[in-house]
Amino acid sequence: QLQLVESGGGSVRPGGSLTLSCEASRFTLASSAIGWFRQAPGKEREWVSCISSSGSNADYADSVKGRFTIERDNAKNTVLLQMNSLKPEDTAVYYCAAHWSHYCSGDSLDGYTSWGQGTQVTVSS
C-alpha cells in the first residue's frame, strides 16, 4: 500500500495562493491516478481534482475550476495542486489519494486505496 504525504498547507488571505504537494514514500505514483480531496469541519470529504497516471487528463470540481491546477512529475514521484484566488470556503484539510486505476473516476471516493494524513488550508482575512 502506498504511503502518501501531503505538504504545503498554511494560512492565507482571500485571493492568495498555495501549492500543495503529494509525495509517495517507497513506492512509485506513476501507475496510479491521483486525486485531491478536502474536508471542512462538520462536512463530508469532497473530491477536488484528479489527474491520470500519465498526466494527460485532469478533472476538477466546479467549485475550483479555473482557480486550481493539478499536475504531476512522475520522475519526482510528486503530484502538485496549485491553488489560486483562494476563498474562505476553500478552508479545509486537504488530502491526496492514489486510485487503483490509471484513470480518474469522477467525484467518487470509491477506488482510492491509499490516503495521506492531510494538510490544513485556512483562508481568512
Side-chain angles (χ1 to χ4, degrees):
Q1 188 177 17
L2 289 174
Q3 293 188 359
L4 305 177
V5 179
E6 304 94 339
S7 61
S11 296
V12 296
R13 296 186 183 277
S17 298
L18 284 172
T19 299
L20 305 184
S21 177
C22 175
E23 299 181 3
S25 59
R26 304 202 308 270
F27 297 94
T28 178
L29 293 177
S31 60
S32 299
I34 300 297
W36 281 97
F37 297 80
R38 65 187 182 186
Q39 188 166 19
K43 295 187 176 181
E44 294 187 351
R45 191 168 299 189
E46 65 172 355
W47 172 76
V48 173
S49 181
C50 179
I51 188 166
S52 62
S53 62
S54 68
S56 60
N57 290 290
D59 294 322
Y60 300 92
D62 288 343
S63 59
V64 306
K65 198 171 294 183
R67 300 188 297 122
F68 290 12
T69 301
I70 190 171
E71 58 186 10
R72 68 189 300 157
D73 185 338
N74 286 338
K76 295 182 178 180
N77 219 25
T78 300
V79 175
L80 301 178
L81 184 69
Q82 174 68 44
M83 307 187 296
N84 298 323
S85 303
L86 283 163
K87 305 175 181 180
E89 51 263 43
D90 294 319
T91 295
V93 178
Y94 283 70
Y95 302 87
C96 65
H99 200 278
W100 67 267
S101 168
H102 290 282
Y103 307 104
C104 299
S105 59
D107 62 359
S108 173
L109 273 69
D110 293 343
Y112 289 93
T113 58
S114 299
W115 292 80
Q117 82 291 345
T119 186
Q120 176 70 46
V121 171
T122 302
V123 185
S124 174
S125 56

